[in-house]
Amino acid sequence: MVELNIKERLQQWKNENPIRKYRKESGLSQPDIAGLIGVSTYTVQRWEDGSVSPSGENLKKMSKLIDEIEESLSEWKNNRPTL
C-alpha cells in the first residue's frame, strides 16, 4: 500500500467534509448552498476547507439540509491529518 503524503492526505480529508459530501451528492454548487443558508460563497468555501465551522443560526439552517451535521462536522474535524 502506498502511503499518501501530507498534501494528499489533507485533500482527501477535505473531500470527506460532510458539507462538501452533501453538496456533491445533491448536485449543488457552493453558490447554491450559500443561497440556501443565506451566506456568501466564500463562507461555504471556508466551511468546506475546514478554516471555519458554521455556528449559531447557520448551523441550525444547515441541520435542516444535513442530518446530524453538528456531530458529523465534529467527527470530521477530529480526523484532520497531522504531520
Side-chain angles (χ1 to χ4, degrees):
M1 182 171 120
V2 176
E3 191 171 322
L4 301 175
N5 67 37
I6 187 66
K7 187 175 181 178
E8 292 166 328
R9 289 187 355 236
L10 185 58
Q11 186 58 49
Q12 186 177 43
W13 175 77
K14 286 180 181 182
N15 289 338
E16 293 298 315
N17 178 299
I19 298 170
R20 181 184 182 116
K21 285 177 73 174
Y22 168 80
R23 181 176 63 77
K24 295 280 189 175
E25 290 169 0
S26 300
L28 298 171
S29 66
Q30 289 178 335
D32 292 335
I33 294 290
L36 289 170
I37 303 299
V39 297
S40 70
T41 300
Y42 179 67
T43 297
V44 175
Q45 289 171 348
R46 295 188 69 208
W47 289 345
E48 288 190 6
D49 72 15
S51 300
V52 296
S53 296
S55 59
E57 191 64 30
N58 291 331
L59 190 57
K60 192 181 283 187
K61 290 176 185 177
M62 187 69 66
S63 70
K64 293 178 182 176
L65 296 175
I66 307 170
D67 292 332
E68 301 176 11
I69 186 63
E70 198 166 353
E71 297 84 8
S72 298
L73 278 173
S74 178
E75 183 178 317
W76 174 75
K77 281 251 184 187
N78 289 334
N79 288 323
R80 184 180 187 115
T82 58
L83 291 177

